[in-house]
Amino acid sequence: MKIKRSILGQLPYGSDLLDAMTELVQKENIRLGRISGIGATTHAVVAFYDQNTKKYNPLEFPGGLEILNLQGNVSMRDGKPFVHIHLILGDPQGKVFGGHLLQGTKLFACEVTVDELEGDELVRAHDDRTGLYLWKTCLL
Amino acid sequence: MKIKRSILGQLPYGSDLLDAMTELVQKENIRLGRISGIGATTHAVVAFYDQNTKKYNPLEFPGGLEILNLQGNVSMRDGKPFVHIHLILGDPQGKVFGGHLLQGTKLFACEVTVDELEGDELVRAHDDRTGLYLWKTCLL
Amino acid sequence: MKIKRSILGQLPYGSDLLDAMTELVQKENIRLGRISGIGATTHAVVAFYDQNTKKYNPLEFPGGLEILNLQGNVSMRDGKPFVHIHLILGDPQGKVFGGHLLQGTKLFACEVTVDELEGDELVRAHDDRTGLYLWKTCLL
């Protein structure tokens, strides 16, 4: 794969991080890529995936927090570009929290980069063993 | 935007992380880019931005800590390349702390990458709503 | 340096993260590069480097955890491509732990990107001051 294009910019104040990233990749027709960024939230919702029950358990973090890192990728699911992001948050004492990004995370500010990759598409499908929507092939 | 150039290398022992990154991008004349890295500090100073008072509250972490992640970007402020970095630190028990990087963070070791991007410059200006120095346009 | 190639893909279920990344860069003959990713572990082993004793102290995190971020690079050590990775983990309450990746970290799922860089090789050698295996030159 090659990096076809890189985007660096900010997401709107008050927007939902997951919705905004999804809208961005769909608007830009980025079907394969990676995401990174920093910023701040006014409210955050992430999840911990329970490997035994195979369920995402939501965790809410109200109030202003730093986005110390957001990291993820873009691939295809149900025929559309799909973003998968993990979020790391910092509180007023410098303590750190995080999880798998869910809808409901509202932005105070957010500066992201998206690299569009060219190469064979990666398609998410249900994986029985883990209960996750994973790609079909492995690098090894 | 395209990635014009990538740099991977280390910063000097004992240097101040924010000053060293600023010196690096100014020396290399990188006006738009992104930054990532790992390493260790002998003393760290980060801040939590209070969204109500619109002030950065500093937090000090003395003693040796791991830099589990540093992430950020380069854009223009006051006519000069300016770096914005969030830092994530790990302590001897594996507990994690972090915030917005300030001056005063001294390096034990640090391995960074900087991608220089080509494209329209992003310029920071005071944003009244947040109190932050943000770019004028949004991706959405 | 330039980015020669980018890889986005997943590592196998049950594989050891450090061994799998090492196998990947050696198989692909990536001698200079950077690494990022997200995922989940079934068991994690990281280390805190004690700057006084110059020893890595291992820390074990049993049970399922989120990989909130993995970040690192590829360079040469003892004539072979060598990976250096820092790992950030999230628990069921959203609490965060991390350190320098060691062998023994088993994957539930892991989506990684590797950028192969072209340019002069970076070679790790023992550095007396820190006790670490560092590159010989600095960016500043």
Side-chain angles (χ1 to χ4, degrees):
Chain A
M1 297 172 189
K2 292 264 178 192
I3 298 174
K4 198 170 163 180
R5 177 167 62 129
S6 276
I7 295 169
L8 169 61
Q10 70 185 341
L11 300 177
Y13 177 92
S15 61
D16 183 289
L17 175 53
L18 184 55
D19 288 347
M21 287 306 306
T22 301
E23 186 185 338
L24 177 63
V25 298
Q26 292 182 353
K27 182 182 103 163
E28 297 284 342
N29 197 29
I30 295 172
R31 300 163 72 87
L32 188 69
R34 79 179 142 198
I35 295 164
S36 65
I38 57 176
T41 57
T42 56
H43 188 94
V45 187
V46 297
F48 177 82
Y49 187 75
D50 186 315
Q51 299 173 11
N52 297 310
T53 62
K54 297 184 179 175
K55 284 194 182 136
Y56 283 104
N57 295 331
L59 299 161
E60 286 204 53
F61 296 94
L65 294 174
E66 300 285 333
I67 297 176
L68 299 178
N69 183 252
L70 68 90
Q71 191 79 27
N73 55 57
V74 186
S75 61
M76 299 299 290
R77 180 167 164 183
D78 301 326
K80 281 185 288 207
F82 174 87
V83 301
H84 179 203
I85 293 173
H86 283 189
L87 190 66
I88 303 176
L89 302 161
D91 82 359
Q93 285 75 47
K95 282 193 286 181
V96 176
F97 303 92
H100 171 97
L101 178 66
L102 294 183
Q103 279 182 313
T105 297
K106 300 294 182 186
L107 295 174
F108 183 75
C110 193
E111 299 172 356
V112 296
T113 65
V114 184
D115 288 333
E116 181 181 5
L117 298 171
E118 56 189 359
D120 290 340
E121 281 182 4
L122 292 169
V123 178
R124 291 191 184 276
H126 189 266
D127 173 67
D128 287 342
R129 182 162 51 186
T130 60
L132 297 168
Y133 284 77
L134 299 178
W135 305 321
K136 277 164 217 160
T137 56
C138 277
L139 292 169
L140 293 174
Chain B
M1 299 171 189
K2 293 264 178 192
I3 299 174
K4 197 169 162 181
R5 175 166 65 128
S6 276
I7 295 170
L8 169 62
Q10 69 185 339
L11 300 176
Y13 177 92
S15 61
D16 182 289
L17 175 53
L18 184 57
D19 289 346
M21 286 306 307
T22 301
E23 185 185 340
L24 177 64
V25 299
Q26 292 182 352
K27 181 181 103 166
E28 296 284 343
N29 197 29
I30 295 173
R31 300 163 72 87
L32 187 69
R34 77 177 144 202
I35 294 164
S36 65
I38 57 176
T41 56
T42 55
H43 188 93
V45 186
V46 297
F48 177 81
Y49 186 75
D50 186 314
Q51 298 172 10
N52 297 310
T53 62
K54 298 183 179 176
K55 285 195 180 136
Y56 283 104
N57 295 331
L59 299 161
E60 285 204 54
F61 296 94
L65 293 174
E66 300 285 334
I67 297 176
L68 299 178
N69 184 251
L70 68 90
Q71 191 78 28
N73 54 57
V74 186
S75 60
M76 299 300 289
R77 180 168 163 181
D78 301 326
K80 282 185 287 205
F82 175 86
V83 301
H84 178 204
I85 293 173
H86 283 190
L87 190 66
I88 303 176
L89 302 161
D91 83 359
Q93 286 74 48
K95 281 194 287 182
V96 176
F97 303 92
H100 171 98
L101 178 65
L102 294 183
Q103 279 183 312
T105 297
K106 300 294 183 187
L107 294 174
F108 183 74
C110 193
E111 298 171 356
V112 296
T113 66
V114 184
D115 288 333
E116 181 181 6
L117 297 171
E118 56 189 358
D120 289 340
E121 280 183 5
L122 292 169
V123 178
R124 291 191 184 276
H126 190 266
D127 173 67
D128 287 342
R129 181 163 50 186
T130 60
L132 297 169
Y133 285 77
L134 300 179
W135 305 320
K136 276 164 218 161
T137 56
C138 277
L139 293 169
L140 291 175
Chain C
M1 299 172 189
K2 292 264 179 192
I3 299 174
K4 198 170 162 181
R5 176 166 63 129
S6 276
I7 295 170
L8 169 62
Q10 69 185 340
L11 299 176
Y13 176 93
S15 61
D16 183 288
L17 175 54
L18 184 56
D19 288 346
M21 286 306 307
T22 302
E23 186 185 340
L24 177 64
V25 298
Q26 292 182 351
K27 181 183 104 163
E28 296 283 342
N29 197 30
I30 295 172
R31 299 163 71 88
L32 187 69
R34 77 177 143 201
I35 295 164
S36 65
I38 56 176
T41 57
T42 56
H43 188 95
V45 187
V46 297
F48 176 82
Y49 186 75
D50 186 314
Q51 298 172 12
N52 297 310
T53 61
K54 298 184 179 177
K55 283 192 183 139
Y56 283 105
N57 295 330
L59 299 160
E60 286 204 54
F61 297 94
L65 293 173
E66 300 286 333
I67 297 175
L68 299 178
N69 185 251
L70 68 90
Q71 191 77 29
N73 55 58
V74 186
S75 60
M76 298 301 289
R77 180 168 163 181
D78 301 326
K80 282 185 289 206
F82 174 86
V83 301
H84 178 205
I85 293 174
H86 284 190
L87 190 66
I88 303 176
L89 302 161
D91 83 358
Q93 285 75 46
K95 281 193 287 181
V96 175
F97 303 92
H100 171 97
L101 178 66
L102 295 183
Q103 279 183 313
T105 297
K106 299 295 182 185
L107 295 173
F108 183 74
C110 193
E111 298 171 357
V112 296
T113 66
V114 185
D115 287 333
E116 181 180 6
L117 297 171
E118 55 188 0
D120 289 341
E121 281 183 5
L122 292 170
V123 178
R124 292 190 184 276
H126 190 265
D127 173 67
D128 287 343
R129 181 164 50 187
T130 60
L132 297 169
Y133 284 77
L134 299 178
W135 305 322
K136 275 163 219 161
T137 57
C138 276
L139 293 169
L140 292 174

